Amino acid sequence: MCFRCISWLVVFKTEGHYVLKTNLRKENDKNVKRYCKNVDITDREFISIAVRDCIKKKLSRKDTIELFCQYSGLPYNAIHRIVKCDYSKGYIDGLIETIIDGIRQEIIYQSYVVKPIHYQTKIDGNSGKVRQIGIQDVKQQLYDYIAAYGLWELFTAKIGYYQCSALENKGQIFGVKALKSWVDDHHIRYAIQSDIRHFYDTIDIDVLKDMLRRDVKNEPLLHLTFFLIDTFDKGLAIGSYLSQLLACYYLSLAYHYVTEQCYRIRKHKDGTQSRVNLVDHALWFADDCVLLGSNLKDLKKAHKLYTQFCMDKLHVEVKPDIKTIDLQTGYIDMMGYKVSRKNVTIRSSDFIRLRRNQKRVESYPDDYIPLHEARGFSSRSGALIHSDSKHYCKRTGALKTKQKCNEIISIKARRKAA
């Protein structure tokens, strides 16, 4: 395959998204652990898994149908009818196979062609923040999945255990359960909460690329990843599957610094010394950080070191308006929940949406609940199960309403598959 005959130095000189010098260490250095050595992103089976995982819920999208047209040569209307007909699964599989073959050839020859990312300004309904969301063409999303699956060994090794929002089974519920177990420990008295200003936009791409060169030993995979990174206007784009994982990987340096290297030395009367960690527990949800401990002075010192590390090493700014919480009387508001020693409750803004959605669903007869309303309440009502909301569920019958919504969703799904 042609990429194997291209030397690392030649790639540096010919590809604009590489630099002339790297910080790669020598391979004979015993202290260096590098990942993804055995990943072959040109393997057809590997590409097939990534493509099918990405495209399975996007078949009816306009850009997906246009991609089918591009690789199969069939007219748009013909493919549109195939996608809309439930009995044409064999034809759809054939169209997906043509995409897999086309993507594989582009990866082999390193000739990636994607449409520019369209950015849209959206206001976060919870925080009121204005965010720039990157809307990618489906073809770039396919490449994102291939690169992310190729880097999965790196992500699972480097991303911290309590860095939530990226890896499988490490979402909101995992983080809330961890926080609740820590808060219930009466030895833990204080918490400090903060986040990073415009985290995705301000990520230093050069630092990120150096980290990848240091940790990944796979030239074709790096080539594809760097190409995707360079398609973003600045930093990483919110809304990209690959960006979410790369952002957590980027911040993993700060996670390991705070949990492993922030400490003080305690001197004892007998002349001995012992190490005391400044932080007892730490958790990140994307760029939102919470540090917990028994000594407020140590926590403030740890957060100051964390802020300085982010500025010096990662070139991102931690917001100065931190939130100091006394866990005896206060609570941690994070990941859509409020966690205190007394209970776990749903964030007020999320609960209002849930309650309004429930009232709309209950205003319809059981057999005529709109599908979009049923799906909305079914997804939101999961928060009731994972919080201390038994009294509310018993008083309003929320779980019965959830069951009705699930039945509507199931009936509509069976009708569509028939």
Side-chain angles (χ1 to χ4, degrees):
M1 290 176 256
C2 67
F3 64 79
R4 297 192 182 280
C5 64
I6 299 177
S7 69
W8 189 248
L9 183 60
V10 173
V11 173
F12 284 163
K13 292 182 178 179
T14 56
E15 299 298 332
H17 49 267
Y18 280 81
V19 294
L20 294 178
K21 295 181 180 180
T22 65
N23 294 328
L24 291 178
R25 302 178 185 177
K26 296 180 180 179
E27 293 185 15
N28 57 5
D29 189 345
K30 295 181 180 180
N31 295 325
V32 175
K33 171 67 174 177
R34 302 179 69 190
Y35 302 90
C36 311
K37 300 176 185 178
N38 300 320
V39 176
D40 182 7
I41 62 171
T42 64
D43 179 66
R44 196 180 188 284
E45 183 178 356
F46 173 83
I47 296 174
S48 177
I49 294 171
V51 168
R52 290 182 181 277
D53 285 351
C54 175
I55 210 171
K56 61 185 178 183
K57 294 184 179 179
K58 303 179 177 72
L59 293 175
S60 59
R61 284 175 37 161
K62 182 180 177 181
D63 55 351
T64 303
I65 297 176
E66 290 175 350
L67 189 64
F68 285 143
C69 295
Q70 175 185 342
Y71 284 104
S72 67
L74 295 175
Y76 183 93
N77 291 337
I79 295 179
H80 186 268
R81 286 194 297 271
I82 291 173
V83 170
K84 293 298 181 181
C85 293
D86 297 324
Y87 58 81
S88 58
K89 293 181 180 179
Y91 295 105
I92 295 175
D93 286 339
L95 292 172
I96 294 175
E97 292 296 324
T98 60
I99 289 181
I100 293 169
D101 290 332
I103 293 289
R104 181 170 181 267
Q105 289 300 314
E106 293 176 11
I107 293 176
I108 289 175
Y109 293 104
Q110 296 180 344
S111 57
Y112 324 114
V113 180
V114 296
K115 295 180 181 180
I117 298 175
H118 171 65
Y119 290 89
Q120 185 174 358
T121 302
K122 291 188 177 182
I123 300 177
D124 192 318
N126 292 325
S127 62
K129 296 179 181 178
V130 179
R131 303 186 188 276
Q132 290 288 333
I133 308 298
I135 302 174
Q136 298 174 308
D137 182 67
V138 68
K139 187 176 180 182
Q140 181 160 352
Q141 294 181 40
L142 296 178
Y143 280 129
D144 274 3
Y145 269 71
I146 293 170
Y149 283 16
L151 293 168
W152 202 258
E153 180 187 358
L154 170 71
F155 294 144
T156 54
K158 291 293 184 178
I159 294 177
Y161 187 78
Y162 288 110
Q163 275 187 274
C164 306
S165 80
L167 297 180
E168 187 177 3
N169 299 323
K170 293 289 186 68
Q172 293 170 284
I173 305 306
F174 172 84
V176 168
K177 288 181 178 179
L179 286 178
K180 181 57 177 173
S181 65
W182 298 338
V183 169
D184 285 344
D185 181 2
H186 287 264
H187 174 71
I188 306 299
R189 173 70 187 274
Y190 300 101
I192 289 181
Q193 190 174 352
S194 66
D195 64 343
I196 297 174
R197 190 186 306 277
H198 300 295
F199 175 54
Y200 277 77
D201 293 342
T202 57
I203 288 177
D204 192 323
I205 296 303
D206 293 331
V207 174
L208 176 60
K209 288 181 178 179
D210 283 340
M211 291 172 59
L212 290 168
R213 293 188 192 100
R214 179 199 64 193
D215 294 332
V216 177
K217 187 179 180 181
N218 190 319
E219 296 174 19
L221 180 56
L222 283 175
H223 191 280
L224 174 60
T225 305
F226 288 0
F227 167 80
L228 294 171
I229 291 174
D230 288 335
T231 61
F232 306 133
D233 285 351
K234 54 181 180 178
L236 298 177
I238 300 175
S240 165
Y241 178 60
L242 180 62
S243 290
Q244 181 184 11
L245 292 163
L246 287 176
C248 287
Y249 165 68
Y250 188 76
L251 204 55
S252 66
L253 287 183
Y255 173 91
H256 292 293
Y257 173 75
V258 171
T259 56
E260 299 167 11
Q261 300 181 42
C262 288
Y263 61 91
R264 59 183 172 86
I265 301 298
R266 175 181 292 168
K267 297 181 179 179
H268 301 280
K269 293 182 179 180
D270 58 0
T272 60
Q273 297 179 346
S274 62
R275 167 175 163 163
V276 179
N277 291 331
L278 299 179
V279 175
D280 289 316
H281 303 288
L283 183 142
W284 274 256
F285 185 72
D287 64 320
D288 196 359
C289 165
V290 60
L291 310 178
L292 298 93
S294 57
N295 189 316
L296 184 58
K297 183 179 179 181
D298 285 351
L299 282 180
K300 289 182 176 179
K301 182 178 180 181
H303 189 271
K304 184 177 179 180
L305 292 173
Y306 164 65
T307 302
Q308 193 64 40
F309 181 88
C310 287
M311 181 62 69
D312 295 342
K313 302 296 183 180
L314 301 180
H315 305 159
V316 293
E317 179 189 358
V318 178
K319 293 180 181 179
D321 50 338
I322 64 174
K323 184 178 180 181
T324 303
I325 305 163
D326 185 348
L327 296 177
Q328 283 189 343
T329 56
Y331 57 86
I332 299 173
D333 187 352
M334 196 174 184
M335 298 174 287
Y337 295 86
K338 295 180 179 179
V339 183
S340 67
R341 288 182 176 173
K342 183 179 178 181
N343 52 26
V344 176
T345 58
I346 306 172
R347 182 180 290 161
S348 302
S349 57
D350 294 340
F351 179 78
I352 291 172
R353 288 191 180 90
L354 183 147
R355 180 59 179 154
R356 288 173 179 172
N357 195 175
Q358 181 180 348
K359 287 185 176 181
R360 289 197 302 270
V361 168
E362 291 174 348
S363 67
Y364 294 97
D366 292 349
D367 297 336
Y368 296 96
I369 299 175
L371 182 59
H372 70 278
E373 293 286 5
R375 284 175 172 168
F377 183 72
S378 181
S379 62
R380 289 191 176 100
S381 59
L384 297 172
I385 300 172
H386 299 288
S387 62
D388 298 324
S389 305
K390 291 182 180 179
H391 178 68
Y392 173 81
C393 293
K394 184 178 180 180
R395 180 169 56 85
T396 64
L399 296 183
K400 292 182 179 179
T401 304
K402 175 181 173 63
Q403 186 176 358
K404 293 177 184 177
C405 291
N406 290 342
E407 290 174 357
I408 292 293
I409 297 169
S410 178
I411 292 170
K412 296 291 180 66
R414 287 198 300 267
R415 287 177 182 173
K416 187 175 180 180

